[in-house]
């Protein structure tokens, strides 16, 4: 099931899995045969950072990507032509404060006001941050020097950077995570606890994989957020969920990773194990170690030559990005309208997020700027 909201380069890898699958191989393991070169796709969805915040300053070594020039800025008051501005900076280190990323906060960041019929000028980030807390405009306008994100810098220079990957919904975490695996949030525009506990009923990529005779597995650390899908709560799927610490490296080493792998992070701190999902105030240095560990585990696997690793983010978390959000010709995936008070029609996207595609099948320094 391909969402039109996903870039072409990444979508091709999933199509390799489904379109090239053959009839059931009648051996003891019962696996289908895949003729295409990519037999395993590993997906990591990190938390709450924008493209410019994480990869914008990489333009110094990857001039082909749509990153920052250093001249970009936001006014503190969008409606005042004489307002002072805050310019982008490359001095982000540790972000303790969690910027605004509710539906209404994102609307202000994109349009500079509550008028979502206006042009998406991306001028409201500093204003919105200052409205939350004085002095925080600098936080949202700052990004990381490439040397502070060594795992991403190395992977970006060696493999593919996708610089037209936008969050599927201009809203918070869970609606966007739903889109990753089901191409819809089933009307959700926020993280509503009772709805998450009840479970979401839409068809998922996991259902499609099962129908196509392909395998999947979820390797989790704290909790598997994929369990918010009702269909994955069925007893038959209990064997698809694995402890990351106990099974991921072992399965990779033995060449037993399934066709579609979801690696879930630690979303919150537990004893001596800090969160590694990048959500502020979680340290991105810990997230870099996590990504490096996953990559090196996969690189050492006998499956590596038939594998692709997709690293992306659920949404931008309130941090600045200069590329205008698509607000036209965005199809509602299932006709569902969001709840009051916004009654969102899912007809525009969220803010651009960092996305990397890693595979031995990708030429060094590949870029993909496909508009979605």
């Amino acid at each position: 099931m391909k969402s039109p909201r996903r870039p072409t380069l990444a979508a091709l890898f999933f199509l390799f899995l489904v379109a090239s699958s053959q009839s059931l191989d009648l051996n003891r393991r019962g696996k289908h045969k895949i003729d295409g070169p990519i037999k395993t796709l590993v997906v990591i969805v990190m938390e709450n950072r924008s493209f410019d915040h994480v990869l914008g300053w990489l333009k110094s070594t990857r001039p082909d990507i749509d990153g920052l020039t250093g001249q970009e800025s936001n006014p503190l008051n969008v409606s005042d032509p004489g307002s002072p501005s805050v310019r982008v900076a490359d001095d982000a280190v540790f972000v303790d404060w969690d910027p605004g990323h509710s539906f209404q906060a994102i609307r202000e960041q994109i349009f500079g006001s509550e008028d979502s019929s206006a042009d998406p000028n991306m001028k409201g980030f500093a204003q919105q941050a200052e409205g939350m807390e004085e002095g925080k405009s600098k936080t949202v306008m700052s990004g990381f020097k490439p040397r502070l994100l060594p795992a991403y810098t190395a992977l970006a220079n060696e493999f593919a950077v996708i610089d037209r990957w936008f969050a599927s919904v201009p809203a918070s975490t869970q609606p966007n995570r739903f889109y990753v695996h089901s191409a819809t949030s089933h009307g959700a525009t926020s993280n509503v606890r009772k709805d998450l506990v009840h479970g979401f009923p839409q068809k998922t990529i996991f259902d499609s994989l099962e129908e196509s005779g392909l395998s999947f597995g979820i390797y989790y650390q704290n909790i598997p957020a994929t369990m918010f899908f009702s269909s994955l709560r069925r007893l038959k799927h209990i064997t698809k969920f694995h402890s990351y610490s106990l099974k991921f490296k072992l399965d990779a080493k033995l060449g037993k990773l399934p066709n579609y792998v979801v690696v879930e992070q630690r979303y919150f701190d537990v004893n001596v194990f800090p969160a590694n999902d990048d959500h502020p105030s979680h340290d991105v240095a810990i997230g870099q170690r996590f990504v490096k560990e996953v990559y090196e585990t996969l690189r050492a696997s006998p499956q590596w030559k038939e594998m692709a690793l997709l690293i992306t983010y659920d949404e931008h978390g309130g941090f600045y990005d200069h590329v205008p959000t698509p607000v036209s010709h965005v199809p509602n995936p299932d006709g569902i309208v969001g709840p009051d008070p916004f009654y969102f029609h899912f007809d525009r996207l969220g803010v651009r997020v960092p996305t990397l595609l890693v595979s031995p099948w990708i030429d060094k320094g590949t870029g993909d700027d496909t508009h979605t």
Side-chain angles (χ1 to χ4, degrees), residues 29 31 40-45 177 181 206 215-226 232 238-267 276 290 293-294 297-298 303 307:
R29 299 176 68 183
K31 285 188 176 181
T40 296
L41 175 63
V42 180
V43 177
I44 300 176
V45 183
R177 284 188 170 271
H181 302 299
F206 307 106
S215 58
F216 68 86
I218 296 155
Y219 296 79
Y220 66 94
Q221 296 179 64
N222 280 156
I223 59 169
T226 41
L232 286 183
I238 193 170
T239 58
K240 306 296 177 59
F241 290 87
H242 313 284
S243 165
Y244 172 83
S245 60
L246 295 178
K247 287 283 288 177
F248 182 66
K249 288 184 179 180
L250 178 61
D251 286 355
K253 182 178 180 179
L254 297 177
K256 292 185 176 181
L257 290 174
N259 300 119
Y260 187 71
V261 176
V262 178
V263 180
E264 298 209 47
Q265 312 90 315
R266 289 191 297 271
Y267 300 112
N276 57 10
F290 163 65
E293 179 180 85
V294 171
T297 297
L298 298 177
Q303 295 174 268
M307 185 183 294

Side-chain angles (χ1 to χ4, degrees), residues 47-368:
E47 288 270 330
N48 293 48
R49 307 278 177 160
S50 73
F51 186 98
D52 279 343
H53 178 64
V54 172
L55 297 178
W57 293 99
L58 190 67
K59 194 172 179 67
S60 59
T61 58
R62 285 292 306 273
D64 56 308
I65 69 170
D66 192 351
L68 295 168
T69 66
Q71 301 304 308
E72 297 83 359
S73 65
N74 259 197
L76 291 175
N77 186 339
V78 178
S79 62
D80 178 7
S83 170
S85 294
V86 180
R87 184 175 290 186
V88 294
D90 64 352
D91 56 1
V93 181
F94 174 76
V95 182
D96 183 54
W97 182 65
D98 189 15
H101 48 278
S102 63
F103 183 88
Q104 53 270 47
I106 297 170
R107 180 178 59 189
E108 182 178 355
Q109 292 160 5
I110 292 173
F111 299 102
S113 70
E114 295 182 359
D115 182 10
S116 58
S117 66
D119 289 333
N121 56 30
M122 314 305 282
K123 294 293 187 182
F125 289 85
Q127 172 183 279
Q128 196 279 325
E130 286 292 313
M132 290 183 67
E133 187 174 339
E134 186 177 355
K136 294 302 184 182
S137 55
K138 178 171 173 52
T139 299
V140 300
M141 297 299 291
S142 294
F144 289 94
K145 291 182 175 69
R147 63 179 174 82
L148 294 184
L149 301 175
Y152 285 166
T153 299
L155 292 175
N157 287 330
E158 288 296 321
F159 299 102
V161 176
I162 302 174
D163 62 3
R164 281 297 185 276
W165 190 295
F166 297 86
S168 297
V169 191
S172 52
T173 290
Q174 291 306 330
N176 281 291
R177 284 188 170 271
F178 289 145
Y179 260 94
V180 171
H181 302 299
S182 69
T184 176
S185 70
H186 197 71
T189 55
S190 62
N191 306 330
V192 179
R193 185 183 297 272
K194 65 178 180 63
D195 292 339
L196 296 175
V197 171
H198 184 263
F200 280 71
Q202 65 264 39
K203 185 175 182 178
T204 69
I205 192 172
F206 307 106
D207 301 315
S208 297
L209 287 162
E210 188 175 38
E211 290 171 2
S212 300
L214 297 170
S215 58
F216 68 86
I218 296 155
Y219 296 79
Y220 66 94
Q221 296 179 64
N222 280 156
I223 59 169
T226 41
M227 281 289 286
F228 292 134
F229 290 118
S230 298
S231 64
L232 286 183
R233 298 178 183 181
R234 296 171 185 164
L235 187 60
K236 68 177 181 177
H237 291 320
I238 193 170
T239 58
K240 306 296 177 59
F241 290 87
H242 313 284
S243 165
Y244 172 83
S245 60
L246 295 178
K247 287 283 288 177
F248 182 66
K249 288 184 179 180
L250 178 61
D251 286 355
K253 182 178 180 179
L254 297 177
K256 292 185 176 181
L257 290 174
N259 300 119
Y260 187 71
V261 176
V262 178
V263 180
E264 298 209 47
Q265 312 90 315
R266 289 191 297 271
Y267 300 112
F268 48 86
D269 299 328
V270 178
N271 298 326
V272 296
F273 299 104
N276 57 10
D277 62 349
D278 278 2
H279 191 302
S281 59
H282 303 155
D283 193 344
V284 296
I286 300 172
Q288 289 293 283
R289 286 199 290 269
F290 163 65
V291 170
K292 180 176 183 288
E293 179 180 85
V294 171
Y295 168 70
E296 291 181 344
T297 297
L298 298 177
R299 187 70 185 249
S301 171
Q303 295 174 268
W304 170 246
K305 292 183 179 179
E306 299 176 329
M307 185 183 294
L309 167 64
L310 176 69
I311 305 166
T312 190
Y313 282 69
D314 53 1
E315 42 106 352
H316 77 298
F319 294 99
Y320 173 73
D321 194 85
H322 77 280
V323 175
T325 294
V327 296
S328 60
H329 307 295
V330 176
N332 182 309
D334 48 20
I336 298 176
V337 176
D340 63 2
F342 304 112
Y343 299 103
F344 183 54
H345 285 258
F346 298 91
D347 52 1
R348 55 186 171 88
L349 302 185
V351 177
R352 190 176 62 147
V353 293
T355 304
L356 301 169
L357 193 57
V358 177
S359 174
W361 290 90
I362 294 175
D363 292 333
K364 181 175 180 177
T366 298
D368 182 54

